[in-house]
Amino acid sequence: DFAAHKNFLISKCSKKYIFLMDADEFLSLEQYENIRKFINTHKNTDMFALHRTNLLTDITPDDCDILEVFSPYRNRVINKNTVQVVVNCYQMRIWKNKIGIHYVNKVHEVQTGFRNSQNVPENIASIMHIKSCARQKAQADFYKQFN
C-alpha cells in the first residue's frame, strides 16, 4: 500500500513544502535552486509537477522488446548500453504542507486534496530517473499482478 506509506511519511513532515523524490532519481543543485525560485514566484499554487525523464541502463542486444515500448518518445542514445527516454511526463512532486494533500490508491498512487497545480517547466528542472532494463522488466511484471 504505497499510498499509506507515503501518507505516513507526510505526517512526519514539518517544513512549509514537501518535496518527494525516489531513491533512484536525482536533480542537480542548480535545478533545486531553479525550482526554489520558481515556487517563490508562484506562492498561490498548492502543488507543483516536475518533468521526469528516464535513463535506461545496462541495455543488451536482448532488450529490443523493452526499447520498443519507449520508441514513441524522444530518445537520446548516450552509449551502446544507455538510452535517455524523454516522455512528456509531469508528476506531482512538490506541495504545500499542512493543507490536506494526501495519497490515494495502493498502487500507482496519486495525490488529492489540493486546489490548484502548476507544471515546473522542463527547462527549469527535470528529474532524472535511472533504471536498468532488467529492473524495468521486473517492475512491469510486478505491476501486471495488480491490473
Side-chain angles (χ1 to χ4, degrees):
D1 188 339
F2 294 110
H5 179 70
K6 288 181 178 179
N7 288 334
F8 172 76
L9 295 174
I10 290 169
S11 75
K12 303 300 178 190
C13 294
S14 61
K15 299 296 181 181
K16 185 175 180 180
Y17 286 93
I18 296 171
F19 186 170
L20 180 84
M21 283 186 55
D22 295 339
D24 59 355
E25 298 173 331
F26 72 90
L27 288 169
S28 70
L29 291 176
E30 179 183 4
Q31 288 176 318
Y32 280 112
E33 183 60 26
N34 291 345
I35 292 168
R36 188 187 66 74
K37 289 175 184 175
F38 185 84
I39 289 173
N40 284 335
T41 62
H42 297 86
K43 293 189 183 287
N44 292 327
T45 302
D46 292 342
M47 174 78 73
F48 296 91
L50 288 174
H51 182 266
R52 184 171 175 246
T53 186
N54 294 293
L55 194 64
L56 287 176
T57 63
D58 303 323
I59 299 169
T60 69
D62 297 329
D63 291 321
C64 293
D65 57 332
I66 197 71
L67 292 176
E68 185 62 30
V69 170
F70 295 106
S71 65
Y73 307 108
R74 286 186 291 155
N75 292 307
R76 183 169 65 107
V77 175
I78 307 298
N79 59 47
K80 69 178 184 167
N81 301 100
T82 307
V83 173
Q84 181 181 7
V85 181
V86 183
V87 291
N88 189 20
C89 174
Y90 280 83
Q91 297 180 343
M92 303 295 196
R93 296 301 188 97
I94 304 169
W95 61 93
K96 290 180 179 176
N97 195 6
K98 308 298 181 198
I99 61 170
I101 296 173
H102 62 281
Y103 281 91
V104 295
N105 300 337
K106 289 183 177 186
V107 178
H108 298 297
E109 66 283 1
V110 294
Q111 298 99 328
T112 187
F114 55 94
R115 295 178 303 263
N116 55 46
S117 65
Q118 184 162 353
N119 289 350
V120 175
E122 180 182 350
N123 65 325
I124 290 177
S126 182
I127 295 172
M128 182 65 69
H129 178 239
I130 302 171
K131 190 180 290 188
S132 71
C133 276
R135 185 164 166 249
Q136 178 68 43
K137 288 179 182 181
Q139 184 177 9
D141 289 342
F142 174 74
Y143 283 148
K144 285 176 188 174
Q145 298 175 52
F146 301 100
N147 294 331

